[in-house]
Amino acid sequence: MFPQSLIPASARRGPTAAGVLGVTAALALGLLSGTASSAPLPSGDAVPLGKGYMGVGYVRDAEDFKPDTRQLALGSAPEASLLANPVGVDISAWQGSINWKSVRGAGIEFAWMKATEGTSYKDPTFSTNYLGAYNAGVIRGAYHFARPDVSGGAAQANFFASNGGAWSRDNLTLPGVLDIEGSCYGKTPAAMQSWILDFYTTYKARTGRDVVIYTSPSWWNSCTGGWSGMSARSPLWVAHWTSAGSPSIPGGFPFWTVWQYTSTGAVSGVSGNVDRDRFSANRSRLLALANNTP
């Protein structure tokens, strides 16, 4: 079970041409230096195994991307009605060492962190971050970067559940996330639906929880055909980097639960850019999601 948002979807806005031109250089610097990076890959590039993270496919699957000269204040605050909602971050090895006490002191209430990718990659910072966030009182969870090109959904769900994706009712552990984005991996919408459902069914059998789905409207609409089959099963974490007051949501989902609204956020305790997220309801509903309570 998961909390419903009372916040409607709004019009989507795309990144600027200047932002896209800067993507390649930013990614290259991150790969060479090993410093924190949240820059997405430019359209058409493949994601090397182990290099996936939330938002890496965002530019590629931006359904309405048209290069132009509009200015978009990515990372600007959402409308005032959302300010009481818990704020969070999502991180991976790109962010390097994190001071979780400072992160919590900056008002961050929740975080998801990359644990696994495919059936072989484990994020080297996961264990340290998972424990550090817990000790700092940040409600945290793990995410799996999906690679439907390397194995079936069930195999990846088992790998995730065995390497960070487990769950316990302790007020500080969120259900796991399936991060699915980028290309359609050569799959038809029907085949992709089957892959996602296999992952979901296996993860729930292993943990007792409904997996959260992280995706963008364009990816979901293109690669699953706007499938409604997960809307009654999984909370939606929507990626829509915008200064608008609320995000666009994929076809097949009536509301969002978590919104990743920028990849260029700044938070004390994290070096460089970090993804910023907002929960759709108040802290009591965040705890309900963590503890699987009504």
Side-chain angles (χ1 to χ4, degrees):
M1 62 186 65
F2 50 91
Q4 298 190 9
S5 171
L6 300 177
I7 304 166
S10 66
R12 186 185 175 95
R13 296 170 64 186
T16 65
V20 173
L21 290 174
V23 159
T24 304
L27 179 66
L29 286 173
L31 288 172
L32 290 173
S33 67
T35 57
S37 170
S38 290
L41 290 171
S43 180
D45 283 9
V47 181
L49 186 65
K51 300 297 183 181
Y53 55 86
M54 286 183 166
V56 71
Y58 184 86
V59 169
R60 179 189 356 236
D61 46 47
E63 62 188 343
D64 61 350
F65 171 63
K66 294 181 178 67
D68 59 27
T69 58
R70 291 176 299 168
Q71 296 299 308
L72 178 61
L74 290 178
S76 60
E79 62 188 19
S81 63
L82 289 177
L83 295 180
N85 296 27
V87 292
V89 295
D90 56 87
I91 58 97
S92 68
W94 289 107
Q95 274 67 50
S97 179
I98 294 176
N99 183 327
W100 285 101
K101 184 177 180 180
S102 293
V103 169
R104 184 67 187 95
I108 298 300
E109 297 189 51
F110 67 93
W112 267 284
M113 51 205 68
K114 182 179 179 181
T116 53
E117 178 175 339
T119 54
S120 60
Y121 180 82
K122 303 176 188 179
D123 189 291
T125 65
F126 173 75
S127 295
T128 297
N129 284 324
Y130 204 62
L131 179 60
Y134 182 93
N135 288 338
V138 177
I139 304 169
R140 87 290 194 247
Y143 78 81
H144 174 81
F145 190 87
R147 293 299 300 253
D149 54 328
V150 301
S151 73
Q156 293 192 32
N158 275 318
F159 182 66
F160 177 45
S162 296
N163 295 283
W167 172 80
S168 60
R169 185 180 286 111
D170 57 10
N171 280 323
L172 286 170
T173 304
L174 291 158
V177 175
L178 174 63
D179 172 4
I180 191 154
E181 56 183 307
S183 75
C184 297
Y185 300 96
K187 293 187 178 295
T188 64
M192 188 62 77
Q193 292 172 18
S194 178
W195 192 97
I196 293 168
L197 192 57
D198 284 348
F199 187 101
Y200 166 87
T201 301
T202 303
Y203 181 80
K204 185 160 188 177
R206 287 287 306 272
T207 67
R209 294 304 308 271
D210 298 321
V211 73
V212 176
I213 290 178
Y214 167 96
T215 193
S216 72
S218 52
W219 189 92
W220 191 262
N221 294 341
S222 297
C223 297
T224 76
W227 183 36
S228 63
M230 297 306 296
S231 63
R233 295 183 171 102
S234 290
L236 170 67
W237 183 351
V238 63
H240 183 188
W241 303 344
T242 177
S243 59
S246 59
S248 295
I249 58 175
F253 285 93
F255 52 83
W256 58 272
T257 297
V258 185
W259 169 22
Q260 184 192 73
Y261 62 90
T262 184
S263 68
T264 56
V267 173
S268 177
V270 181
S271 176
N273 290 342
V274 64
D275 298 337
R276 292 295 304 265
D277 306 289
R278 191 168 295 277
F279 192 67
S280 64
N282 60 27
R283 182 176 173 85
S284 69
R285 301 313 303 156
L286 178 64
L287 287 169
L289 176 63
N291 291 326
N292 202 25
T293 55

